[in-house]
Amino acid sequence: MKVYGVTISPNVRKVLAALEIKGLEYEQISVLPGTKTPEFLAISPRGFIPAFGDGDFHISDSSIIIEYIEAMHPETSLIPSNPQDRAKCRWLEEYAGSVLFPACAVVFQEVVLQPNFYKQKTDEARVATALNETLPPIFDYLEDQAPENGFFFGENIGLADISVVSPIINAEFGKFHIDDARWPKMAAMVKRIKAHPVFVKLLMEEEKTIMGIISGELVAS
């Protein structure tokens, strides 16, 4: 199996985490967002990352990729079997992708990528809006959903957990910190997820990329 994308993308990280949790072998092929080469568009028609290959089969979109992986390798399931929990898990994945991710992406884009990668000035007003207006109600909602202990659906890490934590990691690269007085359950759960061996491994591998961006060694061509 092959995953096309860069690890610092939340959606790529989400797919890699799923493969790691299941203990599956894969190859990661570095492809930057916005790549529009004919070869990549043949795999990912919209040019989005991640894209995924399993032999001659190719598909894109992190949710669909994980759905495929789950169907092909149901052992160590990432999705609860209880119908209500299963639906709630899918909802949290959707919420993380459509609501949480865009807000976290603003922080990462403006604080990390704009000054260090694109050599452009950070839009401080845009960052302030994300931090002070957009993200707080999102975390208020997630705080209501988060468990006191363990993960969203028990003692095993799963799809909801990796979907929610991945964009938060990018916001943290942009110096965002979860207020553990206001959102104690979320702050604790994010720490638990990041302490999971799968995320320890992935974040160690990402460190060189992030340091390369921050140091200016990696810039947009």
Side-chain angles (χ1 to χ4, degrees), residues 13-191:
R13 186 186 300 118
K14 176 180 158 187
V15 170
L16 297 180
L19 290 165
E20 291 283 350
I21 290 168
K22 287 178 173 289
L24 300 173
E25 293 186 4
Y26 64 91
E27 177 185 0
Q28 183 189 350
I29 299 171
S30 182
V31 177
L32 291 173
T35 297
K36 301 291 185 180
T37 63
E39 294 80 9
F40 186 60
L41 289 175
I43 297 170
S44 178
R46 295 188 296 172
F48 291 174
I49 60 172
F52 176 84
D54 187 6
D56 294 331
F57 175 76
H58 294 94
I59 198 70
S60 57
D61 185 276
S62 63
S63 297
I64 295 171
I65 292 168
I66 291 177
E67 183 178 347
Y68 171 81
I69 294 168
E70 184 78 4
M72 293 295 291
H73 303 276
E75 59 278 9
T76 315
S77 179
L78 302 171
I79 304 170
S81 58
N82 175 282
Q84 291 185 353
D85 286 347
R86 194 177 187 87
K88 190 62 174 289
C89 174
R90 290 293 195 188
W91 159 245
L92 287 169
E93 180 192 21
E94 160 61 23
Y95 187 82
S98 63
V99 180
L100 176 63
F101 172 71
C104 291
V106 168
V107 179
F108 182 69
Q109 173 79 23
E110 293 294 342
V111 177
V112 179
L113 295 183
Q114 284 296 96
N116 300 300
F117 189 70
Y118 295 110
K119 302 304 180 183
Q120 301 291 324
K121 185 178 179 181
T122 294
D123 186 336
E124 298 291 353
R126 192 167 181 241
V127 175
T129 298
L131 293 177
N132 300 322
E133 298 178 24
T134 311
L135 281 169
I138 295 172
F139 275 90
D140 287 342
Y141 173 74
L142 291 173
E143 179 72 11
D144 287 339
Q145 307 305 309
E148 294 286 349
N149 299 291
F151 302 102
F152 274 115
F153 297 99
E155 295 303 313
N156 296 318
I157 193 169
L159 177 61
D161 308 291
I162 64 178
S163 299
V164 168
V165 81
S166 287
I168 293 173
I169 287 170
N170 280 65
E172 290 180 335
F173 286 144
K175 307 305 180 185
F176 166 73
H177 298 286
I178 300 175
D179 184 344
D180 57 6
R182 181 171 180 178
W183 303 298
K185 291 190 295 181
M186 273 300 297
M189 193 174 74
V190 168
K191 288 179 182 177

